[in-house]
Amino acid sequence: MPIARFSFLLCLILAVPVQAEIYKYVDENGQVTFTDVYRKGAKRIELPGAPAPLPNRDKAPRRASYNPSPADFPRIDASTQKRRDDIRRQVLQDEISGERRNADDARRQLALGERLQPGERATDATYLNRVKKLRASVQQHEQNVASIQRELANLK
């Protein structure tokens, strides 16, 4: 392998940008959560240009300490970094638009679920349980949107 090609590959590997990780968590009820905080059982979302995942996903990832790069550390060119950031931004925007649609749908389901069925009372356990689950679904989708918005805000 020529030295130039090897150097280029080394630059790509070593000059990966520092960024927060995004995790997708599906609970026992099938509710999907996107967050930047690791939960047991969560799957890390792979973004193009993102750092490689940690070898053991059952443990919470450690935050990297700040170590300034030496002067001779290989740098990635601005256009490559911009392309990577643009791809990451697009992935996050696609995720947030889908999650907003899910939140809107959950709100519609809540509005329908809050209606009393014939012969049903607002104090019935089935009614209260149904409304509780629907509200939890709305809240979960709103938290997902907020998490993705934080990630978008962290982009340059």
Side-chain angles (χ1 to χ4, degrees), residues 80-96:
T80 301
Q81 185 60 50
K82 181 171 178 2
R83 280 194 311 274
R84 289 178 180 177
D85 290 342
D86 289 345
I87 290 169
R88 182 166 184 246
R89 182 175 290 107
Q90 185 60 50
V91 168
L92 289 170
Q93 287 173 341
D94 292 346
E95 290 291 334
I96 201 168

Side-chain angles (χ1 to χ4, degrees), residues 29-112:
N29 295 326
Q31 295 297 317
V32 178
T33 303
F34 293 95
T35 181
D36 57 350
V37 178
Y38 179 82
R39 286 184 177 177
K40 187 172 183 174
K43 300 232 188 287
R44 183 174 182 266
I45 294 179
E46 300 295 328
L47 299 174
L54 295 172
N56 186 350
R57 291 185 176 185
D58 290 336
K59 292 184 179 179
R62 292 184 296 163
R63 297 289 179 202
S65 61
Y66 176 73
N67 292 324
S69 299
D72 61 344
F73 192 78
R75 302 283 178 193
I76 191 162
D77 64 283
S79 63
T80 301
Q81 185 60 50
K82 181 171 178 2
R83 280 194 311 274
R84 289 178 180 177
D85 290 342
D86 289 345
I87 290 169
R88 182 166 184 246
R89 182 175 290 107
Q90 185 60 50
V91 168
L92 289 170
Q93 287 173 341
D94 292 346
E95 290 291 334
I96 201 168
S97 65
E99 199 56 39
R100 283 180 174 148
R101 282 191 303 272
N102 292 341
D104 289 342
D105 185 48
R107 283 187 209 97
R108 282 191 292 277
Q109 294 297 323
L110 175 61
L112 292 172

